[in-house]
mmCIF file with all atom_site columns, all heavy atoms in Angstrom:
data_model
loop_
_atom_site.group_PDB
_atom_site.id
_atom_site.type_symbol
_atom_site.label_atom_id
_atom_site.label_alt_id
_atom_site.label_comp_id
_atom_site.label_asym_id
_atom_site.label_entity_id
_atom_site.label_seq_id
_atom_site.pdbx_PDB_ins_code
_atom_site.Cartn_x
_atom_site.Cartn_y
_atom_site.Cartn_z
_atom_site.occupancy
_atom_site.B_iso_or_equiv
_atom_site.pdbx_formal_charge
_atom_site.auth_seq_id
_atom_site.auth_comp_id
_atom_site.auth_asym_id
_atom_site.auth_atom_id
_atom_site.pdbx_PDB_model_num
ATOM 1  N N   . MET K 1 1   ? -226.429 25.087 -52.848 1.00 0.00 ? 1   MET K N   1
ATOM 2  C CA  . MET K 1 1   ? -227.298 25.493 -53.955 1.00 0.00 ? 1   MET K CA  1
ATOM 3  C C   . MET K 1 1   ? -226.412 25.845 -55.146 1.00 0.00 ? 1   MET K C   1
ATOM 4  O O   . MET K 1 1   ? -225.477 26.634 -55.024 1.00 0.00 ? 1   MET K O   1
ATOM 5  C CB  . MET K 1 1   ? -228.167 26.686 -53.558 1.00 0.00 ? 1   MET K CB  1
ATOM 6  C CG  . MET K 1 1   ? -229.092 27.151 -54.663 1.00 0.00 ? 1   MET K CG  1
ATOM 7  S SD  . MET K 1 1   ? -230.066 28.603 -54.173 1.00 0.00 ? 1   MET K SD  1
ATOM 8  C CE  . MET K 1 1   ? -231.040 27.865 -52.884 1.00 0.00 ? 1   MET K CE  1
ATOM 9  N N   . LYS K 1 2   ? -226.726 25.308 -56.295 1.00 0.00 ? 2   LYS K N   1
ATOM 10 C CA  . LYS K 1 2   ? -225.929 25.582 -57.477 1.00 0.00 ? 2   LYS K CA  1
ATOM 11 C C   . LYS K 1 2   ? -226.239 26.971 -58.023 1.00 0.00 ? 2   LYS K C   1
ATOM 12 O O   . LYS K 1 2   ? -227.314 27.508 -57.813 1.00 0.00 ? 2   LYS K O   1
ATOM 13 C CB  . LYS K 1 2   ? -226.198 24.512 -58.525 1.00 0.00 ? 2   LYS K CB  1
ATOM 14 C CG  . LYS K 1 2   ? -227.629 24.527 -59.066 1.00 0.00 ? 2   LYS K CG  1
ATOM 15 C CD  . LYS K 1 2   ? -227.814 23.466 -60.142 1.00 0.00 ? 2   LYS K CD  1
ATOM 16 C CE  . LYS K 1 2   ? -229.245 23.507 -60.703 1.00 0.00 ? 2   LYS K CE  1
ATOM 17 N NZ  . LYS K 1 2   ? -229.445 22.514 -61.787 1.00 0.00 ? 2   LYS K NZ  1
ATOM 18 N N   . THR K 1 3   ? -225.239 27.498 -58.730 1.00 0.00 ? 3   THR K N   1
ATOM 19 C CA  . THR K 1 3   ? -225.395 28.843 -59.298 1.00 0.00 ? 3   THR K CA  1
ATOM 20 C C   . THR K 1 3   ? -226.327 28.769 -60.503 1.00 0.00 ? 3   THR K C   1
ATOM 21 O O   . THR K 1 3   ? -226.126 27.967 -61.425 1.00 0.00 ? 3   THR K O   1
ATOM 22 C CB  . THR K 1 3   ? -224.035 29.394 -59.728 1.00 0.00 ? 3   THR K CB  1
ATOM 23 O OG1 . THR K 1 3   ? -223.158 29.409 -58.606 1.00 0.00 ? 3   THR K OG1 1
ATOM 24 C CG2 . THR K 1 3   ? -224.185 30.790 -60.284 1.00 0.00 ? 3   THR K CG2 1
ATOM 25 N N   . SER K 1 4   ? -227.354 29.630 -60.515 1.00 0.00 ? 4   SER K N   1
ATOM 26 C CA  . SER K 1 4   ? -228.338 29.619 -61.593 1.00 0.00 ? 4   SER K CA  1
ATOM 27 C C   . SER K 1 4   ? -227.812 30.395 -62.790 1.00 0.00 ? 4   SER K C   1
ATOM 28 O O   . SER K 1 4   ? -226.883 31.199 -62.716 1.00 0.00 ? 4   SER K O   1
ATOM 29 C CB  . SER K 1 4   ? -229.652 30.220 -61.099 1.00 0.00 ? 4   SER K CB  1
ATOM 30 O OG  . SER K 1 4   ? -229.463 31.586 -60.782 1.00 0.00 ? 4   SER K OG  1
ATOM 31 N N   . LYS K 1 5   ? -228.460 30.180 -63.930 1.00 0.00 ? 5   LYS K N   1
ATOM 32 C CA  . LYS K 1 5   ? -228.107 30.896 -65.153 1.00 0.00 ? 5   LYS K CA  1
ATOM 33 C C   . LYS K 1 5   ? -228.380 32.390 -65.011 1.00 0.00 ? 5   LYS K C   1
ATOM 34 O O   . LYS K 1 5   ? -227.656 33.227 -65.547 1.00 0.00 ? 5   LYS K O   1
ATOM 35 C CB  . LYS K 1 5   ? -228.888 30.323 -66.327 1.00 0.00 ? 5   LYS K CB  1
ATOM 36 C CG  . LYS K 1 5   ? -228.546 28.875 -66.637 1.00 0.00 ? 5   LYS K CG  1
ATOM 37 C CD  . LYS K 1 5   ? -229.353 28.364 -67.824 1.00 0.00 ? 5   LYS K CD  1
ATOM 38 C CE  . LYS K 1 5   ? -228.993 26.901 -68.146 1.00 0.00 ? 5   LYS K CE  1
ATOM 39 N NZ  . LYS K 1 5   ? -229.765 26.389 -69.307 1.00 0.00 ? 5   LYS K NZ  1
ATOM 40 N N   . SER K 1 7   ? -228.058 34.130 -62.344 1.00 0.00 ? 7   SER K N   1
ATOM 41 C CA  . SER K 1 7   ? -226.990 34.739 -61.554 1.00 0.00 ? 7   SER K CA  1
ATOM 42 C C   . SER K 1 7   ? -225.789 35.066 -62.425 1.00 0.00 ? 7   SER K C   1
ATOM 43 O O   . SER K 1 7   ? -225.160 36.124 -62.299 1.00 0.00 ? 7   SER K O   1
ATOM 44 C CB  . SER K 1 7   ? -226.574 33.787 -60.428 1.00 0.00 ? 7   SER K CB  1
ATOM 45 O OG  . SER K 1 7   ? -227.652 33.524 -59.576 1.00 0.00 ? 7   SER K OG  1
ATOM 46 N N   . ARG K 1 315 ? -228.457 38.818 -55.175 1.00 0.00 ? 315 ARG K N   1
ATOM 47 C CA  . ARG K 1 315 ? -228.700 37.378 -55.042 1.00 0.00 ? 315 ARG K CA  1
ATOM 48 C C   . ARG K 1 315 ? -229.610 37.088 -53.860 1.00 0.00 ? 315 ARG K C   1
ATOM 49 O O   . ARG K 1 315 ? -230.570 36.308 -53.978 1.00 0.00 ? 315 ARG K O   1
ATOM 50 C CB  . ARG K 1 315 ? -227.343 36.664 -54.865 1.00 0.00 ? 315 ARG K CB  1
ATOM 51 C CG  . ARG K 1 315 ? -227.444 35.182 -54.580 1.00 0.00 ? 315 ARG K CG  1
ATOM 52 C CD  . ARG K 1 315 ? -227.936 34.418 -55.773 1.00 0.00 ? 315 ARG K CD  1
ATOM 53 N NE  . ARG K 1 315 ? -228.149 33.006 -55.465 1.00 0.00 ? 315 ARG K NE  1
ATOM 54 C CZ  . ARG K 1 315 ? -228.676 32.135 -56.311 1.00 0.00 ? 315 ARG K CZ  1
ATOM 55 N NH1 . ARG K 1 315 ? -229.039 32.548 -57.507 1.00 0.00 ? 315 ARG K NH1 1
ATOM 56 N NH2 . ARG K 1 315 ? -228.835 30.874 -55.960 1.00 0.00 ? 315 ARG K NH2 1
ATOM 57 N N   . GLU K 1 323 ? -236.893 32.322 -56.951 1.00 0.00 ? 323 GLU K N   1
ATOM 58 C CA  . GLU K 1 323 ? -236.920 30.861 -57.018 1.00 0.00 ? 323 GLU K CA  1
ATOM 59 C C   . GLU K 1 323 ? -237.966 30.293 -56.068 1.00 0.00 ? 323 GLU K C   1
ATOM 60 O O   . GLU K 1 323 ? -238.713 29.353 -56.402 1.00 0.00 ? 323 GLU K O   1
ATOM 61 C CB  . GLU K 1 323 ? -235.541 30.305 -56.691 1.00 0.00 ? 323 GLU K CB  1
ATOM 62 C CG  . GLU K 1 323 ? -234.477 30.640 -57.729 1.00 0.00 ? 323 GLU K CG  1
ATOM 63 C CD  . GLU K 1 323 ? -233.096 30.152 -57.319 1.00 0.00 ? 323 GLU K CD  1
ATOM 64 O OE1 . GLU K 1 323 ? -232.993 29.604 -56.192 1.00 0.00 ? 323 GLU K OE1 1
ATOM 65 O OE2 . GLU K 1 323 ? -232.143 30.318 -58.098 1.00 0.00 ? 323 GLU K OE2 1
#
Side-chain angles (χ1 to χ4, degrees):
M1 180 182 295
K2 66 178 181 178
T3 302
S4 65
K5 296 180 179 180
S7 299
R315 174 69 185 175
E323 293 176 357

